[in-house]
Amino acid sequence: MTNSTQPLEGAPLIAPSSVGHPLYESVVEAIRTVYDPEIPVNIYELGLIYTIDINDESDVKVTMTLTAPGCPVAGEMPGWIMDAIEPIGGVKSVDVELTFEPPWGMEMMSDEARLELGFM
């Protein structure tokens, strides 16, 4: 019997985002307004946002992670993201899912975040 929760071999660990949807750029810009309170970089540039999935009805589903499972704002950050996205015109609903697979690593940060944090 196969365990259906395991990804198929060769399947990406992070699902692709809906980059072609007309609302995609607005959603990204809204997410860029949300900062990890312990790190002076927005969560998008930190690489905490894995997938932005927007369906044909303009329901937005964000899959994200945290820098560490014990992050003190773990319970609050999904709400901050929802609050940032919901006011965008045309967005029907917002759902934020927290995952730790794959675990976040510093290699997920953008060059902008690395520069801001002095890693470049």
Side-chain angles (χ1 to χ4, degrees):
M1 180 171 216
T2 334
N3 183 348
S4 63
T5 61
Q6 292 296 320
L8 297 173
E9 186 174 334
L13 292 176
I14 299 173
S17 292
S18 303
V19 296
H21 195 282
L23 291 172
Y24 179 78
E25 289 300 324
S26 297
V27 170
V28 169
E29 287 308 310
I31 292 172
R32 282 188 170 127
T33 67
V34 179
Y35 283 73
D36 183 314
E38 297 177 331
I39 304 171
V41 175
N42 72 68
I43 63 170
Y44 187 83
E45 299 302 333
L46 276 177
L48 299 182
I49 303 300
Y50 284 173
T51 304
I52 300 169
D53 182 32
I54 310 169
N55 67 19
D56 292 339
E57 289 77 38
S58 297
D59 298 304
V60 178
K61 181 178 180 189
V62 176
T63 304
M64 67 167 296
T65 194
L66 301 170
T67 55
C71 178
V73 295
E76 298 172 51
M77 197 173 292
W80 298 344
I81 295 168
M82 290 174 74
D83 290 345
I85 297 171
E86 285 173 341
I88 298 171
V91 169
K92 182 178 174 188
S93 68
V94 181
D95 179 44
V96 179
E97 178 185 338
L98 206 52
T99 186
F100 293 100
E101 288 299 322
W104 179 86
M106 290 179 60
E107 69 280 356
M108 295 175 166
M109 289 191 293
S110 70
D111 287 344
E112 181 179 304
R114 291 172 200 267
L115 186 61
E116 180 71 28
L117 296 173
F119 295 129
M120 289 182 77

